[in-house]
Amino acid sequence: DGRPLGVLDEGLFAVDGNNVADLLAKIARLQDFVAMSPNSGIEQLAVQWSREAVLNQANKLCVAMVAANRAELLDQLEHAQQALRRDPSKALGSNGTTLSAALRDRLFFSPEPLATQGKVAFVFPGSGNHFAGMGEELSARWPAIYNDQDARSRFLARQFLPEHFWKTELVETLHDDHNALVIGQVALGTAVSDLVRSFGVEPQAVSGYSLGESAGLFSLKAWQDRDGMSQRLNESTLFTEELAGECKAARKVWKLKKNEKVDWVLGIVDVPAAKVRAALSGKDKAYLLIINTHRECVIGGDRVQVEALAREVNGHFFPLRGVTTVHCEVAEPVKKPYRDLHLFPVTAPAGVTFYSCALGESYEVTSDSAADVIL
């Protein structure tokens, strides 16, 4: 029937208008619609409502909700109705800790929407965000996205790697297969981006986080040779020997003897960067790799020194797996092959601004600049 996973178990409902009175009238109309409709599933109800009440993008206001069943939807509508009558200047959703999750996290309204003057940014996460089954359900729900990618790629399966990822649990050895983790996560980023854009949501900015910079460039088609990147990775020793595996680059930088092995570890620590920097004094094999937030960092390096660092800053240390020895001086010996890996022809999309982690600002995308910011 073209729906291998069956119908969706949640529905998206929206009402729009130019003022609060319009919204209240539409809410009442949706309440009547739910009461009068046949007892079909929530997805079918959402489809019927979207046909019944076509949204007008010229309208200034909107209330949206995600519901798992009719009772939940009616609760959301009643709450929205009461809240708008009581104080239409307040936003709905993500406020009011006494509310149920269905009301707090699945009901949305802003009295001053940003859509007309704001910009949309697509943010792509860094490595270590892979998970079992990534992309599997997406491909079954929206096969057209994957069919379109397949038409533009000769070896698409080598990018999504279903034999590795489309499982309920990842095999232990996959965490050390950095080529697979890199290409698989980038491929998923392109699929999610294509899906969101198919809904009419277009970004004006792209902010990639580490590996996410590559995902962003491929997703917005600034880079287009995905088969080429897959081939380059398979032929390269960067993520099998130099920056992972034996970690030859770290061995070289740390001037280790032949019988000494690189015991690299990295993870998140919940302390500010300034505190980490202060504790790095005297540690030549430990690094502040990434600053996630004002009070969370990624640290890495030699296990003994990193564990000592974590103790000294008195922070909770959460080890990460499947991430290579980058974001520090260890990458220095392989900077030319690393840059060459990311050197592709560029077709810069119009109206999209790309941001660089390393620069901390936007940059004009060319073949050289893209390779440079990733290096």
Side-chain angles (χ1 to χ4, degrees):
D1 61 359
R3 302 292 296 277
L5 301 183
V7 297
L8 293 169
D9 54 9
E10 293 182 317
L12 170 65
F13 299 82
V15 298
D16 63 345
N18 265 322
N19 50 54
V20 172
D22 287 348
L23 293 179
L24 288 170
K26 283 270 186 77
I27 286 173
R29 184 175 153 198
L30 178 51
Q31 287 171 320
D32 290 342
F33 179 83
V34 174
M36 299 294 290
S37 295
N39 194 22
S40 55
I42 195 70
E43 182 196 40
Q44 187 59 34
L45 191 66
V47 170
Q48 290 167 348
W49 175 250
S50 70
R51 292 170 179 163
E52 170 85 12
V54 178
L55 296 176
N56 181 354
Q57 290 194 356
N59 283 333
K60 297 175 182 176
L61 299 173
C62 180
V63 175
M65 56 224 92
V66 178
N69 53 60
R70 289 170 182 247
E72 189 173 279
L73 176 59
L74 290 171
D75 282 347
Q76 292 170 337
L77 289 169
E78 185 179 354
H79 178 77
Q81 198 174 51
Q82 293 174 357
L84 288 171
R85 285 172 176 160
R86 186 170 55 247
D87 189 352
S89 66
K90 285 187 176 178
L92 296 177
S94 301
N95 60 358
T97 54
T98 58
L99 299 176
S100 68
L103 295 177
R104 186 182 64 243
D105 302 331
R106 294 152 67 83
L107 176 60
F108 309 93
F109 165 74
S110 171
E112 297 179 12
L114 293 173
T116 54
Q117 72 266 30
K119 293 182 178 179
V120 174
F122 280 10
V123 181
F124 295 85
S127 58
N129 283 278
H130 55 278
F131 57 93
M134 65 182 193
E136 183 178 22
E137 183 176 350
L138 203 70
S139 70
R141 294 287 187 197
W142 289 282
I145 299 298
Y146 286 71
N147 289 340
D148 182 59
Q149 289 199 4
D150 195 37
R152 292 181 280 107
S153 186
R154 293 180 64 198
F155 305 106
L156 194 68
R158 294 182 189 176
Q159 296 161 31
F160 286 99
L161 300 170
E163 70 275 17
H164 290 308
F165 294 109
W166 291 8
K167 298 179 176 181
T168 53
E169 288 185 18
L170 299 180
V171 295
E172 192 67 18
T173 53
L174 184 62
H175 294 290
D176 297 319
D177 187 347
H178 297 283
N179 283 356
L181 298 179
V182 165
I183 200 72
Q185 191 177 311
V186 168
L188 178 65
T190 67
V192 174
S193 173
D194 285 354
L195 177 63
V196 174
R197 293 175 72 190
S198 76
F199 299 148
V201 180
E202 289 289 346
Q204 288 78 52
V206 172
S207 179
Y209 204 44
S210 189
L211 177 62
E213 293 197 63
S214 295
L217 288 162
F218 277 119
S219 292
L220 274 295
K221 299 178 178 59
W223 284 348
Q224 298 185 16
D225 189 9
R226 290 170 55 173
D227 287 329
M229 175 59 93
S230 178
Q231 185 68 23
R232 288 183 190 185
L233 277 170
N234 287 333
E235 294 173 354
S236 171
T237 60
L238 275 173
F239 299 119
T240 56
E241 298 176 15
E242 306 295 338
L243 297 171
E246 191 182 329
C247 298
K248 291 180 179 178
R251 173 179 293 281
K252 188 176 292 185
V253 171
W254 293 349
K255 297 180 173 60
L256 298 183
K257 297 174 183 176
K258 284 186 177 181
N259 61 338
E260 291 181 291
K261 288 187 176 181
V262 175
D263 189 7
W264 180 273
V265 65
L266 83 166
I268 295 170
V269 64
D270 59 343
V271 295
K275 195 170 182 180
V276 171
R277 288 192 181 102
L280 281 171
S281 177
K283 298 178 181 64
D284 59 346
K285 299 188 186 81
Y287 308 96
L288 170 61
L289 300 177
I290 305 175
I291 302 169
N292 281 346
T293 72
H294 66 288
R295 59 182 183 188
E296 181 183 283
C297 302
V298 179
I299 60 175
D302 173 71
R303 181 180 299 275
V304 172
Q305 291 195 11
V306 169
E307 289 177 350
L309 174 64
R311 286 194 299 272
E312 284 179 37
V313 298
N314 196 29
H316 295 289
F317 181 68
F318 303 94
L320 297 174
R321 302 185 62 194
V323 186
T324 52
T325 59
V326 291
H327 292 285
C328 64
E329 63 175 355
V330 164
E332 186 70 24
V334 293
K335 64 182 183 181
K336 185 182 186 307
Y338 197 91
R339 185 182 186 279
D340 289 347
L341 178 70
H342 298 93
L343 198 58
F344 287 99
V346 159
T347 306
V352 180
T353 302
F354 285 79
Y355 286 85
S356 157
C357 280
L359 299 178
E361 60 187 24
S362 64
Y363 70 101
E364 187 178 341
V365 181
T366 66
S367 292
D368 285 319
S369 68
D372 286 339
V373 299
I374 288 177
L375 173 63

